[in-house]
Amino acid sequence: MSANQQNQNPAPKIDFQDPEFIRNPFPAYDYIREKDPVFRMLMPHGQYAWVITRFEEASEIVSDARFVTNYPMQDPEDDSDLPAHKAIISRNLLSVNPADHRRLRRLIQKAFTPKMIKNLRGRIEEITDELLDKVQHNGEMNLIEDFAFPLPIKVICEMLGVPVKDQFKFQDWSNHLMESVNNPALSQQGEDATIGFVNYLQTLISERRQQLGEDLISDLIKVEEEGDSLSEHELYSLIFVLIIAGHETTVNLIGNGVLALLEFPEQKQKLIENPEFIHSAIEEILRYNGPAEVSNVRWAAEDVTVAGKTIKKDDMVFVALSSANRDPEAFADPDAFDITRKVNNHLAFGKGVHFCLGAPLARLEGEIAIRELLRRMPDLRMKDDQDALVWRQGMIIRGVKEIPVVF
Ligand code: HEM
């Protein structure tokens, strides 16, 4: 290639702030995986972070105890330097030290085992039916607003015992928070969302203390009041993270899943004719266009050499899950969307001790949602061109704001 041609076609760059990259990050991931699979990127707030793009290293780092999710330079017991609204939600599963993580995970895990989640099947099917009944006669809907968002938010609200009528508040706070991660331009909106959310939780939890019910928040309040296995800040942090994680990602599992099925109509047809492929179809959606673009941040607890590069103690690391899931060394024909793919050990839910707590719930919601959608609306198609889709900002969540469809 001549120098002139090179200037015309600059190498694709990973830039989590660039709408064009967000729309289609895969050419840039392909390029970097080949050229510089473990690379240092300047973050918008002026710090450097390592970005890991190949499956092999991604799979190792996301589950390697030498890379911790709690900031190593901070005393885990001391949140006194944080403003009050941040301190109260600072002790969640992805921010505490490994010993506290084990204790908290054990406490909450019981509610999310595949067996417990199976009991929700009937209720998830009921909510799915109600939502599709509402739009069926219109012949069109906004798939995100009318279906993909209200389904998981209703399920997690009911599990926790949070009023479903407040769902739009959670949606706003959560969207604003996610978009503001590592984006200094949006830090004020993230701050306001945190304050709004925390004030809401304070009222909710103090009311629930007066009248406990049959829900997860009441169960957690009992544990907190009974002994020393759950502090007040941990109680708030768990509820906060469950409301956000409980819907943000699953919305986009359904949304991105429908986009992939519409992009590959022969796969959609295959699924309509063979609904028993729904399990492998959900795994393929998670791999092909999963809702979590990158892992939560990790910090190196010691110097570690990864693919020839030395990641120094206290360096910040992000694992690009979307890139790892398209690595040709790990997946045959990675850019093909194949709902019958046999070997599919993707990293969409992470790996190791932080493996997604909500994976059984997300899988069940995704299976019921997509199966019913295709059963009731087999002629589902985009109302506008795919290019008109607006992708969500931010480096954590991969998904679109709206999907107008007709059926
Ligand atoms: C398709 C939907 C979902 C995806 C793609 C997803 C993805 C992930 C990923 C990648 C992680 C690991 C992050 C890391 O290691 O840095 C994670 C952790 C977590 N997820 Fe999910 N998630 C989904 C749905 C859910 C749901 C429905 C819930 C809750 C009801 C949930 C709750 C959590 C929690 C609490 C953690 C932290 C676990 C720990 O640190 O031990 N997620 N999720």
Side-chain angles (χ1 to χ4, degrees):
M1 194 188 282
S2 72
N4 199 18
Q5 274 171 317
Q6 274 178 4
N7 287 343
Q8 282 167 4
N9 293 316
K13 261 179 61 186
I14 294 185
D15 179 354
F16 295 106
Q17 315 296 318
D18 174 6
E20 198 43 43
F21 170 80
I22 290 175
R23 193 181 66 77
N24 180 14
F26 301 106
Y29 284 145
D30 287 348
Y31 181 84
I32 300 289
R33 238 188 274 113
E34 280 265 309
K35 300 275 179 222
D36 194 11
V38 173
F39 80 103
R40 247 159 73 87
M41 188 172 79
L42 182 62
M43 303 297 286
H45 41 60
Q47 260 179 304
Y48 278 93
W50 293 96
V51 180
I52 314 296
T53 55
R54 282 199 310 220
F55 183 89
E56 188 185 340
E57 292 88 15
S59 174
E60 276 165 23
I61 288 183
V62 87
S63 55
D64 183 333
R66 291 172 302 173
F67 292 93
V68 293
T69 58
N70 60 308
Y71 188 47
M73 285 180 283
Q74 189 178 318
D75 174 355
E77 298 306 323
D78 179 14
D79 50 23
S80 56
D81 58 335
L82 291 175
H85 66 278
K86 282 211 173 128
I88 204 166
I89 48 158
S90 65
R91 303 211 25 94
N92 72 65
L93 287 168
L94 285 158
S95 62
V96 291
N97 68 33
D100 287 342
H101 174 262
R102 271 193 298 280
R103 172 175 51 83
L104 292 176
R105 176 102 188 190
R106 213 174 299 134
L107 263 177
I108 193 78
Q109 180 77 57
K110 284 179 232 146
F112 286 90
T113 58
K115 200 166 152 222
M116 289 296 287
I117 296 304
K118 250 169 120 179
N119 296 334
L120 296 175
R121 176 179 284 277
R123 183 63 190 132
I124 299 173
E125 285 173 341
E126 227 168 64
I127 300 172
T128 301
D129 271 348
E130 281 165 21
L131 292 169
L132 294 179
D133 284 348
K134 264 198 217 160
V135 292
Q136 182 100 51
H137 62 278
N138 296 345
E140 62 175 286
M141 67 168 151
N142 174 356
L143 186 101
I144 299 291
E145 193 182 306
D146 294 323
F147 187 54
F149 167 70
L151 173 60
I153 191 79
K154 200 160 187 186
V155 174
I156 197 72
C157 283
E158 289 186 0
M159 276 182 89
L160 287 166
V162 173
V164 177
K165 68 174 171 46
D166 294 329
Q167 57 179 287
F168 298 108
K169 292 184 190 164
F170 305 139
Q171 187 182 28
D172 273 358
W173 290 325
S174 178
N175 282 348
H176 288 157
L177 262 171
M178 288 293 161
E179 288 184 353
S180 69
V181 175
N182 288 315
N183 189 342
L186 299 179
S187 63
Q188 189 56 49
Q189 91 165 30
E191 195 68 2
D192 295 345
T194 311
I195 293 173
F197 210 150
V198 166
N199 288 344
Y200 176 91
L201 287 180
Q202 281 175 321
T203 311
L204 178 80
I205 291 171
S206 68
E207 283 172 6
R208 191 61 46 86
R209 281 190 200 282
Q210 309 307 314
Q211 196 172 8
L212 295 176
E214 297 287 310
D215 53 63
L216 201 48
I217 292 188
S218 300
D219 292 349
L220 290 170
I221 290 176
K222 280 183 231 162
V223 174
E224 183 229 0
E225 289 179 351
E226 270 163 16
D228 53 9
S229 51
L230 186 66
S231 73
E232 192 185 16
H233 283 191
E234 288 166 350
L235 168 72
Y236 272 88
S237 306
L238 274 180
I239 297 169
F240 176 77
V241 101
L242 286 176
I243 295 179
I244 294 193
H247 79 283
E248 266 292 347
T249 42
T250 313
V251 177
N252 302 303
L253 167 60
I254 301 170
N256 296 357
V258 168
L259 288 182
L261 289 163
L262 298 184
E263 187 188 346
F264 295 87
E266 77 294 347
Q267 296 292 314
K268 172 177 165 247
Q269 195 52 35
K270 197 187 268 185
L271 190 51
I272 291 172
E273 286 164 16
N274 306 277
E276 70 277 12
F277 289 153
I278 190 67
H279 304 287
S280 52
I282 293 296
E283 298 312 308
E284 182 65 344
I285 291 166
L286 285 161
R287 183 197 70 81
Y288 180 77
N289 215 351
E293 181 84 47
V294 297
S295 70
N296 208 67
V297 62
R298 299 287 193 277
W299 278 277
E302 56 187 82
D303 290 2
V304 185
T305 302
V306 181
K309 300 273 181 78
T310 304
I311 299 185
K312 290 239 176 264
K313 181 174 182 301
D314 296 338
D315 278 0
M316 199 195 294
V317 182
F318 288 101
V319 174
L321 304 170
S322 293
S323 172
N325 286 338
R326 295 272 192 119
D327 184 342
E329 295 290 322
F331 301 96
D333 203 0
D335 295 325
F337 177 68
D338 174 4
I339 62 161
T340 63
R341 189 180 285 272
K342 300 273 177 314
V343 181
N344 199 350
N345 57 341
H346 60 73
L347 292 178
F349 287 123
K351 193 179 167 189
V353 293
H354 292 286
F355 180 80
C356 177
L357 177 82
L361 176 60
R363 283 181 162 130
L364 185 62
E365 289 174 334
E367 282 169 25
I368 295 173
I370 301 234
R371 187 197 67 206
E372 283 307 292
L373 194 64
L374 292 187
R375 189 182 66 77
R376 294 181 53 160
M377 298 158 181
D379 197 23
L380 189 79
R381 57 203 187 280
M382 297 290 290
K383 188 173 176 193
D384 308 316
D385 197 345
Q386 282 246 11
D387 290 344
L389 293 171
V390 179
W391 288 82
R392 290 184 51 178
Q393 290 184 66
M395 66 183 285
I396 307 285
I397 294 286
R398 174 151 192 78
V400 288
K401 292 192 174 180
E402 296 182 351
I403 310 182
V405 288
V406 288
F407 41 84

